[in-house]
Amino acid sequence: MSRKVVITRPTAQALPLAQQVTGAGRDAIVFPLLEIHPLPDLAPLRMALQDLSGYAMVVFVSPNAIDAAFGVLPAWPDNLPIAVVGEGSRKALAQHGVTSSNATIFSPVNKLRTDSQTLLEVLDLDALRGKRVLIVRGETGRELLTDALRSSGIEVIQLSAYRRAAPELDQARRVQLTQLLESQNDWIVTSSEALRVLMQMLNQLDNNDAVAKMQHQRIIVPHVRIAETAQMLGLTNITLTGSGDEQLFAALQSRA
């Protein structure tokens, strides 16, 4: 029997990859480990994005940040550079009509490690010194990029565009997770936070072997930091790919 592919992204981001997996003849299971919620009041976000003329660059930390911002933004201003971390964000920009053909988009060159550190490597920090940069993000997140920019003499404004939350482990999800552990499957996990949520869920199951069974599952991750988190949490069957769905899909095809 072919291994199932368990896609743990938030539902909206999981569905396109699930369709690709299904189209290739694999059985895709969407099991979100994070939920993305809009802010309860969008007025501050809308107001903050109304006039971007005072910024030298806007950084979007994720596809969710892009979707939330463009949901209230009528059009992207001409000549305003954008910085993103991964290939998923480039795709999200393209879905809103913004590509490298009509905008300047900075992103990491190293596809095996797409994060704030590798993004900093491609930014001209000297040219940004003394200017303002807007970072569009969730309500919480890592501060590495913000701290690094500020230490380079750049004024950074952070703007919350959405909120992340761990899904409730209700009875239906409890049963589904238990069933998934009964066979060996391929799990696509694209954030360290999602991995920590997964381990919390496993510890909530009425099954003393849940964590041990998870160690037999194949975990496919697109980033070194996520792989390191998986190892720290005791997972051992880890496949590291590059950034983007194409790399994840290639890893799936390598061992169906």
Side-chain angles (χ1 to χ4, degrees), residues 16-116:
L17 182 56
Q19 292 172 352
Q20 188 178 7
V21 169
T22 302
R26 299 286 300 275
D27 188 4
I29 306 294
V30 175
F31 188 81
L33 293 173
L34 289 173
E35 294 176 343
I36 303 299
H37 299 290
L39 299 177
D41 181 7
L42 291 177
L45 176 64
R46 188 176 289 109
M47 184 176 299
L49 294 173
Q50 221 169 34
D51 182 9
L52 297 174
S53 60
Y55 295 102
M57 184 175 69
V58 176
V59 181
F60 293 102
V61 302
S62 68
N64 294 310
I66 292 167
D67 291 339
F70 278 81
V72 300
L73 187 68
W76 188 252
D78 293 335
N79 303 318
L80 179 57
I82 300 170
V84 297
V85 174
E87 290 303 305
S89 290
R90 278 189 173 270
K91 282 191 172 183
L93 285 173
Q95 289 172 352
H96 294 285
V98 179
T99 67
S100 55
S101 65
N102 57 24
T104 300
I105 305 174
F106 297 100
S107 62
V109 175
N110 183 355
K111 302 305 181 187
L112 291 177
R113 192 177 185 104
T114 55
D115 56 15
S116 298

Side-chain angles (χ1 to χ4, degrees), residues 56 94 126 128 132 167 175 192-193:
D126 289 335
L128 290 169
R132 300 174 74 204
V175 169
S192 295
E193 184 179 0

Side-chain angles (χ1 to χ4, degrees), residues 55-206:
Y55 295 102
M57 184 175 69
V58 176
V59 181
F60 293 102
V61 302
S62 68
N64 294 310
I66 292 167
D67 291 339
F70 278 81
V72 300
L73 187 68
W76 188 252
D78 293 335
N79 303 318
L80 179 57
I82 300 170
V84 297
V85 174
E87 290 303 305
S89 290
R90 278 189 173 270
K91 282 191 172 183
L93 285 173
Q95 289 172 352
H96 294 285
V98 179
T99 67
S100 55
S101 65
N102 57 24
T104 300
I105 305 174
F106 297 100
S107 62
V109 175
N110 183 355
K111 302 305 181 187
L112 291 177
R113 192 177 185 104
T114 55
D115 56 15
S116 298
Q117 187 61 50
T118 50
L119 176 60
L120 285 166
E121 294 172 2
V122 301
L123 298 180
D124 189 343
L125 300 182
D126 289 335
L128 290 169
R129 185 171 290 113
K131 298 179 180 179
R132 300 174 74 204
V133 168
L134 179 67
I135 297 182
V136 185
R137 50 178 275 174
E139 283 189 320
T140 59
R142 300 175 75 221
E143 301 294 332
L144 188 153
L145 180 61
T146 296
D147 292 344
L149 292 175
R150 286 176 175 164
S151 68
S152 297
I154 301 164
E155 182 183 355
V156 178
I157 306 298
Q158 293 182 328
L159 178 62
S160 297
Y162 62 95
R163 56 178 45 170
R164 293 187 302 272
E168 178 189 355
L169 187 63
D170 57 19
Q171 183 59 27
R173 288 177 62 82
R174 187 182 294 270
V175 169
Q176 185 181 20
L177 180 55
T178 300
Q179 292 174 341
L180 288 171
L181 294 174
E182 293 306 314
S183 59
Q184 294 187 19
N185 302 303
D186 293 334
W187 293 64
I188 293 179
V189 185
T190 53
S191 85
S192 295
E193 184 179 0
L195 272 175
R196 288 188 283 269
V197 169
L198 174 59
M199 299 307 289
Q200 291 170 3
M201 288 183 173
L202 293 173
N203 287 321
Q204 293 176 46
L205 292 180
D206 300 325

